[in-house]
């Protein structure tokens, strides 16, 4: 693997920016193996979660609620996986870890979007860092759909 | 796999209780493939992170700090992985998801404890749900060592 982030699978940063709060940014992730996968990145860019301040945790809790509720309304996933790993940056000689969360909706049943089918091939197990990029117009429409729900 | 929790790999609950705060419990995980692996379980037992209240997030932030700093003092890991997945409970017919965090220290260099060597075989990649149980006396001493640091 050569990606700079294990779940993002990309050199495109964290993806397409959808939402900006005081301390966090919400991106639609470039890989949509699990439909609705997002990245929540800390704006300050700390190395470890222990550097995250109380006011940032409080806002993060509100973002978790907003994202889970938005996705539930749109695609009704069975559950949500959250992780802050930062492993991939340590594969090279000059690691630059930055606090960011992978938000991965998981589906017991197949869902459809933009004429494509999404079956969660790893349901019940840890999400796999295998990339699935969508056609640009589908990715754009997905961003719009989630954004609209986030801003409601 | 038949475990009730992917990283815990067990039917022994979350492991050995080391610390109790108002809203969270810290356990030493039964599997120590990554030395110092702990579970931070929400006492209220919510299904999703969106049900976690602000006061619980605030305390969780303090626990993250306490755990990362304690482990850094004891074994100096290279980084820490955090995840809230809840996948394994969905393998059976009556899933009972409960909010709990996997705290997994990751090591670039091999570390030793209790006469055993711990080389992180997956460094730079996502942690694998492969069990490594320690001899009971080593597990007990590890618990004591982390507990002592947590209570400092």
């Amino acid at each position: 693997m050569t990606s700079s982030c294990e779940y993002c699978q990309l050199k495109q940063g964290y993806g397409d920016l959808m939402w900006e709060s005081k301390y966090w940014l919400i991106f639609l992730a470039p890989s949509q193996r699990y439909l609705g996968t997002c990245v929540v990145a800390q704006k300050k860019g700390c190395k470890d979660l222990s550097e995250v301040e109380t006011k940032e945790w409080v806002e993060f809790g509100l973002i978790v609620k907003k994202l889970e509720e938005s996705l539930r309304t749109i695609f009704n996933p069975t559950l949500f996986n959250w992780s802050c790993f930062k492993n991939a940056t340590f594969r090279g000689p000059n690691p630059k870890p930055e606090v960011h969360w992978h938000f991965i909706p998981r589906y017991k049943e197949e869902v459809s979007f933009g004429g494509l089918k999404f079956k969660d091939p790893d349901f019940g197990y840890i999400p796999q860092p295998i990339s699935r990029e969508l056609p640009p117009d589908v990715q754009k429409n997905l961003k719009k759909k989630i954004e609209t729900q986030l801003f409601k």
Side-chain angles (χ1 to χ4, degrees), chain A:
Chain A
M1 272 188 285
T2 56
S3 72
S4 65
C5 179
E6 53 212 331
Y7 284 129
C8 299
Q9 289 277 327
L10 43 56
K11 289 165 176 159
Q12 315 155 38
Y14 296 129
D16 306 306
L17 184 64
M18 294 192 294
W19 175 277
E20 178 169 356
S21 69
K22 197 165 179 189
Y23 306 114
W24 302 90
L25 301 167
I26 306 179
F27 298 87
L28 181 64
S31 174
Q32 292 294 320
R33 178 178 174 88
Y34 312 98
L35 187 64
T37 295
C38 297
V39 173
V40 180
Q42 189 204 27
K43 285 165 87 168
K44 210 167 63 183
C46 290
K47 187 180 171 254
D48 287 313
L49 282 182
S50 53
E51 295 167 47
V52 174
E53 292 177 74
T54 297
K55 60 191 180 188
E56 292 170 296
W57 279 113
V58 168
E59 201 191 65
F60 178 68
L62 301 175
I63 286 173
V64 165
K65 206 172 162 66
K66 179 178 271 296
L67 257 179
E68 292 195 351
E69 285 174 0
S70 294
L71 264 289
R72 191 167 283 125
T73 303
I74 305 172
F75 297 122
N76 196 28
T78 313
L79 76 151
F80 303 101
N81 290 171
W82 286 89
S83 59
C84 180
F85 279 173
K86 304 174 272 100
N87 294 314
T89 186
F90 286 90
R91 292 174 200 162
N94 294 304
K96 291 193 180 81
E98 284 186 356
V99 164
H100 65 281
W101 292 92
H102 296 279
F103 166 71
I104 305 184
R106 307 299 303 270
Y107 300 86
K108 191 173 183 180
E109 308 295 341
E110 188 178 270
V111 279
S112 297
F113 181 74
L116 301 171
K117 290 186 174 180
F118 296 82
K119 190 173 160 49
D120 184 338
D122 316 298
F123 186 73
Y125 294 85
I126 58 173
Q128 292 303 307
I130 296 167
S131 183
R132 177 181 178 182
E133 288 192 47
L134 306 185
D137 60 319
V138 181
Q139 181 82 356
K140 199 175 153 189
N141 289 338
L142 179 59
K143 177 175 179 271
K144 205 178 289 172
K145 201 171 176 74
I146 298 175
E147 251 171 10
T148 304
Q149 197 61 41
L150 285 173
F151 278 92
K152 260 185 190 162

